[in-house]
Every structure is written in C-alpha cells, then in structure tokens.
C-alpha cells in the first residue's frame, strides 16, 4: 500500500455508533452549506483523464520513494523524484508533450515537497495574501484587491494534509480539541488555520505572505505611503530611544512598518523581539527572538506574550520589540517602557491614535489589577512618546495617516498632538490622491532628540513654510 493511501486511510478512519451519527449530521450540514456556494471554476489540469493520470502517477511515485529520505534536502529529493517520475512514465507507456510532462511533474513535486495547489500562488510575488475557504474556494489578494482563482484542492482531507505539513515542523497541533492555530512558513509568512467543527465550510487557511525582498523605505516613499520628511523625523525618534506604538487595522502594514523602523536601531544594541509567530526580520547582529507557545494536549505548558515580556526584563535588553499587544501584556509592556527600557516598540490594532491609547488602557485593565483609571492613564502618557497610525485605503493602498505625539495629562485626559496628518486632495483613476503633511507643530520631546546630537530642520515640521492643514 502506498504512503499516500496509508495517510488517507489513517485520516479517513472514523468511529462507530454515536460518533458516526454525529459525523454524518455534521457532514450533511457542511454539504448543505457548501451546496449554496458557487462552485469554483475547474482548471484543465484537474479535469477528466489528466486528473486521474496525476493521481495514479503520484500514488505510484510515493509508494516507491524511500520513507526514510530527508525531505529537508530539497534539491536532492527533487532529483530523486524526477528520476522516479521519468521511470514510471516509461513503465506505464504514458506519452505526454513536453509542456504537459513539465506541468505534471511540477504538480506532483509540489504535493510532496511544497504546499500542493498553493505552491504556485506562494511563488507569485505579486500575491500578498492567500485565503482558502474549504477545498473548492480559494481567493488571493493582489494590489490590495481580493480575487478568486481557478485553483482547487481534491477534498477537505487534502487541505488538512497541507495544514498538518505547515504546523507539524513548528511543534504545534490542530485537531478537534484545538481547532485553530497560528503558525508561520519557513520564509516568515504568517499562517492561520481553522478547521471543523469551528468552521462550517471545511478547513480554512489564511496565509499572509512576506515579500522575498523586504520592502524598503524608498519603496514606501515611492508608493506614497509616507514622505521623506516623516521618515527623517521617525528615524530621529528611533535613534533617540523614544517609545513608539504602531497602530492600524488588519492588513494595514503595521508589521512591515515595524520592520522598517527597527532597521534604524543602532547595530551595537541588544534587541529582544517577542511575537506569537516570528515575523520580524531584523538585520542587526545582536537580536534575540522569542516566540509564545500554546498549551499542549493536556492544557499545560502555555507560554504567553506576557510571560515573555516579564522574562525579557531579566535578559539585559536595550530594546524590547513586541510584535503585537492584544491582551494583559500591555501592562507589562508599559512597565518595561517606564523602567528604563527606552526605545521599545510594539503594534496594536485600532482605528485612530486616540483609540490606540483607549485600547491599551482597556488591555491594561485585563491584567486583573485593581488600578484606578487615572493611574493607568498616567502610566500610558509617561510610557508612550509617539503613535504612528496606518490605514488601508479604499483603493487598496496602505498609508501612514497620523504621526501623533503623546503630550501628557490634562486633568483626567491624555493629551495628544498631531505632528503629521494625511490630507486627501482627491481621487484620480480610482486612486486616492493625497500627502502626509506636517501640521506646523514641534513635538515636546524635541529636547530628547537634540540631546542625542540630532538636529532636525524646522522645515520638516512645516515651520517657515506656508502649508494648509
């Protein structure tokens, strides 16, 4: 029996009695839901005899591969697969044209070494996100717009095999007792998977791709995401060890921008990064990367972001960079910023700079400490120096819309001052036209920047120039 058949039988086995009844009911419910969905267009490689041929050749090839082969040695395994592939075609007397032969081999190699039907999408640099909604519905994001693609899996078991291939090397699991998981690909791309019974449309897989070549500051300026003046100001803030929060909605480019700002940290400083799934790609030499861990099958062994933030304080950090604050870890992050770990950076989901502070205040209360609201706000106002807010516009572009200073407290309210604000001037060819403009106000922390030996010209803040705000 081939390796593929053994895997399929192992995954397809079910119990009896009540379990079978429950699974039958669940299957009928899923079928009724999927019946209401539009069937994906069928591509020619998966139609008729070609699909049968691919399955037959793939099964025979898997049965003849050495199970002990180290698949991490990709080039060697690929050559072995190609030799067996040619041998099987010759034995079966299968005659194919050169393009068909190459296409068949690439699909089979992707099933064994890659992520099956998703492999061509992963190799397409123009695609930024891949969304699998069950076996027959696959969408991509390209240039900020979502499109459906004519690619399908064989069935839900096929999707599950690909999900298991992603999460298994990371020591994570996904099953009925833990039906969702966060993971990453070897290149750092973020992966989220959700399976039944949580998902009613079959296994759902979402991949946020990372660019092979990280986006540079020059590209951001060219895309119109930010201006040269704002970059110069933010570079001075990072070098002056100001505490910065990067906020925005989902997919607004927070992690990408955090990567860019982290690049301005001097190379002689010890940096500790803390993330749920390691995504940051820092270029400095002295970087320690920490990653949280979910509980095991017994519900033990969980390591949270909050645990890592507390532990990082004992690791002699000069900079602490947290991938995202989303829970009670906000309290420990504020404490780190207020206890001499200047220059820390993190991201947070929010709709505006003001909402960012409100969310951090709420997340701090989630820690369970009976702190008065004023005490929390004083901690927030003294810890955070700058909020950089990004948005994903209607045309799919991502832009920095606010660079806002946290000035201090006035009574019970945290005061904020906009230093740069995005000003939309119109729409041309369905594209938003505008620019991030200075407001003409200098931040109160300019003395910290100047104490570092950095002198910014007044023109950066629009002082001395006639600008409309």
């Amino acid at each position: 029996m081939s390796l593929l058949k053994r895997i399929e039988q192992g995954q397809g086995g079910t119990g009896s009695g009540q379990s079978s009844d429950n699974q039958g009911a669940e299957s009928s419910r899923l079928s009724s839901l999927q019946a209401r969905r539009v069937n994906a267009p069928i591509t020619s490689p998966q139609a008729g005899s070609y699909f049968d041929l691919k399955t037959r050749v793939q099964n025979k090839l898997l049965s003849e591969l050495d199970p002990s082969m180290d698949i991490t040695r990709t080039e060697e395994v690929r050559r072995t697969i190609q030799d067996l592939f040619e041998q099987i075609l010759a034995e079966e007397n299968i005659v194919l044209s050169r393009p068909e032969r190459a296409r068949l081999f690439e699909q089979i190699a992707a099933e064994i070494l890659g992520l099956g039907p998703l492999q061509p999408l992963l190799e397409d640099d123009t695609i930024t996100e891949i969304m699998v909604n069950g076996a027959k519905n696959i969408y991509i994001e390209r240039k900020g717009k979502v499109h459906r693609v004519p690619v399908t899996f064989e069935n839900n078991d096929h999707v599950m095999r690909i999900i298991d291939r992603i999460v298994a090397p990371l020591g994570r699991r996904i099953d009925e007792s833990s039906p969702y998981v966060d993971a990453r690909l070897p290149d750092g791309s973020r992966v989220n998977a959700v399976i039944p019974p949580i998902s009613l449309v079959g296994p759902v897989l979402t991949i946020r791709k990372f660019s092979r070549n990280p986006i540079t500051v020059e590209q951001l300026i060219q895309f119109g995401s930010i201006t040269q003046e704002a970059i110069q100001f933010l570079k001075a803030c990072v070098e002056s060890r100001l505490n910065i929060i990067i906020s925005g909605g989902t997919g607004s480019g927070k992690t990408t921008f955090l990567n860019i700002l982290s690049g301005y940290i001097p190379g002689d400083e010890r940096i500790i990064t803390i993330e749920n799934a390691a995504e940051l790609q820092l270029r400095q030499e002295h970087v320690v990367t920490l990653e949280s861990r979910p509980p095991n099958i017994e519900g033990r062994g969980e390591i949270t972001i909050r645990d890592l933030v507390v532990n990082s304080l004992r690791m002699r950090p000069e900079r602490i960079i947290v991938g995202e604050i989303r829970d009670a870890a906000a309290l420990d992050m504020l404490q780190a910023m207020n206890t001499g770990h200047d220059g820390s950076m993190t991201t947070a989901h929010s709709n505006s700079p003001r909402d960012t502070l409100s969310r951090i205040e709420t997340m701090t209360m989630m820690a369970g400490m009976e702190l008065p609201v004023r005490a929390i706000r004083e901690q927030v106002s003294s810890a955070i120096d700058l909020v950089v807010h990004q948005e994903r516009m209607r045309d799919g572009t991502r832009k920095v819309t606010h660079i806002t200073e946290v000035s201090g407290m006035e009574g019970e309210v945290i005061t904020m001052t906009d230093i740069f604000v995005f000003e939309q001037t119109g729409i041309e060819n369905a594209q938003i036209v505008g620019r991030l403009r200075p407001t003409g106000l200098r931040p109160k922390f300019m003395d910290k920047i100047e104490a570092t030996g950095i002198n910014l010209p007044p023109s950066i803040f629009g002082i001395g120039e006639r600008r409309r705000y």
Side-chain angles (χ1 to χ4, degrees):
M1 184 184 296
S2 70
L3 177 61
L4 181 64
K5 290 293 184 184
R6 289 199 297 270
I7 292 173
E8 288 177 344
Q9 287 189 6
Q11 293 178 342
T14 59
S16 60
Q18 185 67 30
S19 176
S20 298
D21 295 339
N22 292 340
Q23 290 178 0
E26 182 68 20
S27 176
S28 63
R29 182 168 56 152
L30 294 181
S31 299
S32 65
L33 282 169
Q34 291 171 343
R36 297 197 295 266
R37 302 170 66 85
V38 181
N39 290 330
I42 302 299
T43 56
S44 56
Q46 294 181 338
S49 59
Y50 184 88
F51 178 66
D52 297 334
L53 172 64
K54 171 180 173 292
T55 304
R56 190 168 77 250
V57 173
Q58 178 177 303
N59 290 347
K60 189 167 184 180
L61 193 150
L62 283 170
S63 67
E64 296 188 10
L65 274 178
D66 182 3
S68 62
M69 182 180 296
D70 183 7
I71 62 172
T72 59
R73 303 169 67 176
T74 308
E75 292 301 324
E76 181 181 335
V77 176
R78 188 179 177 87
R79 285 195 297 270
T80 304
I81 292 173
Q82 186 151 19
D83 292 340
L84 285 173
F85 175 76
E86 299 292 345
Q87 180 182 336
I88 291 170
L89 290 187
E91 291 175 355
E92 296 274 341
N93 293 323
I94 297 172
V95 179
L96 295 173
S97 64
R98 181 171 296 179
E100 289 174 338
R101 182 183 294 254
R103 182 174 56 179
L104 180 60
F105 172 73
E106 289 299 332
Q107 289 185 353
I108 293 175
E111 288 291 341
I112 298 173
L113 296 175
L115 299 184
L118 301 183
Q119 196 61 36
L121 305 180
L122 290 169
E123 294 171 356
D124 187 343
D125 291 336
T126 64
I127 295 175
T128 54
E129 195 139 6
I130 301 170
M131 293 150 279
V132 179
N133 304 343
K136 304 300 181 182
N137 299 278
I138 300 179
Y139 295 82
I140 62 166
E141 181 192 68
R142 181 183 278 123
K143 296 182 179 178
K145 300 293 184 179
V146 176
H147 308 278
R148 189 172 185 166
V149 290
V151 176
T152 62
F153 288 86
E154 297 172 17
N155 48 43
N156 286 341
D157 289 339
H158 191 187
V159 186
M160 286 300 304
R161 289 200 299 271
I162 298 301
I163 293 175
D164 288 334
R165 186 174 299 172
I166 293 172
V167 303
L170 302 176
R172 305 202 174 192
R173 64 188 179 87
I174 183 166
D175 50 40
E176 286 190 4
S177 62
S178 179
Y180 58 89
V181 68
D182 286 318
R184 68 179 187 278
L185 297 180
D187 64 354
S189 297
R190 183 192 308 172
V191 178
N192 176 267
V194 183
I195 65 171
I198 299 299
S199 168
L200 302 183
V201 295
V204 176
L205 182 64
T206 310
I207 302 176
R208 174 80 53 82
K209 284 179 58 181
F210 267 27
S211 175
R212 298 176 191 271
N213 301 312
I215 293 179
T216 62
V217 175
E218 291 74 19
Q219 287 177 304
L220 283 184
I221 295 173
Q222 180 183 350
F223 297 155
S225 299
I226 197 169
T227 61
Q228 180 66 51
E229 294 82 5
I231 283 291
Q232 188 176 349
F233 170 67
L234 291 175
K235 180 174 183 289
C237 292
V238 174
E239 293 176 349
S240 304
R241 302 180 65 87
L242 299 179
N243 295 322
I244 300 174
I245 304 286
I246 300 172
S247 63
T250 300
S252 60
K254 299 185 298 297
T255 304
T256 299
F257 201 73
L258 181 60
N259 259 324
I260 289 175
L261 289 189
S262 300
Y264 294 129
I265 299 175
D268 59 349
E269 295 189 13
R270 178 175 170 85
I271 307 168
I272 296 180
T273 68
I274 301 171
E275 300 171 85
N276 274 319
E279 299 175 75
L280 295 175
Q281 301 170 317
L282 272 64
R283 302 301 181 186
Q284 289 85 347
E285 181 180 354
H286 199 168
V287 178
V288 178
T289 302
L290 304 180
E291 188 176 64
S292 64
R293 188 178 73 181
N296 60 19
I297 196 169
E298 298 174 350
R300 302 176 181 174
E302 181 181 15
I303 306 295
T304 64
I305 292 288
R306 187 176 186 185
D307 297 330
L308 294 177
V309 171
V310 172
N311 186 77
S312 68
L313 302 180
R314 308 185 186 102
M315 299 174 65
R316 198 206 172 274
E318 290 181 287
R319 305 265 186 160
I320 299 175
I321 300 178
V322 180
E324 182 182 343
I325 290 293
R326 64 182 74 183
D327 52 24
L331 175 60
D332 300 287
M333 190 69 195
L334 292 177
Q335 294 302 305
M337 291 177 173
N338 274 325
T339 53
H341 300 90
D342 297 330
S344 298
M345 289 185 278
T346 186
T347 70
H349 280 82
S350 71
N351 295 326
S352 68
R354 173 64 62 182
D355 284 347
T356 302
L357 301 189
S358 298
R359 280 210 71 224
I360 291 176
E361 180 182 323
T362 302
M363 290 186 287
T364 301
M365 292 178 177
M366 292 167 61
M369 308 293 289
E370 296 296 332
L371 297 174
V373 173
R374 181 178 177 82
I376 295 175
R377 290 178 180 173
E378 286 177 349
Q379 289 285 308
V380 170
S381 65
S382 62
I384 301 171
D385 297 303
L386 198 68
V387 177
V388 180
H389 187 75
Q390 296 194 204
E391 288 185 16
R392 180 178 171 184
M393 301 295 188
R394 293 181 180 178
D395 59 357
T397 59
R398 298 162 171 85
K399 299 182 187 298
V400 175
T401 58
H402 294 80
I403 299 178
T404 304
E405 176 194 16
V406 180
S407 308
M409 291 278 294
E410 285 188 4
E412 298 287 333
V413 180
I414 301 174
T415 57
M416 306 180 74
T417 305
D418 288 334
I419 309 301
F420 291 85
V421 175
F422 180 79
E423 183 182 280
Q424 181 176 335
T425 56
I427 297 179
E428 293 181 4
N429 300 323
Q431 297 291 314
I432 291 177
V433 179
R435 195 170 190 272
L436 186 66
R437 298 189 180 277
T439 61
L441 302 173
R442 285 165 58 94
K444 291 182 179 179
F445 53 66
M446 277 302 295
D447 55 339
K448 294 184 181 179
I449 295 178
E450 291 169 354
T452 316
I454 301 172
N455 293 308
L456 297 175
S459 59
I460 285 183
F461 306 105
I463 300 173
E465 300 181 12
R466 295 187 61 187
R467 291 185 180 273
R468 181 166 63 89
Y469 171 48

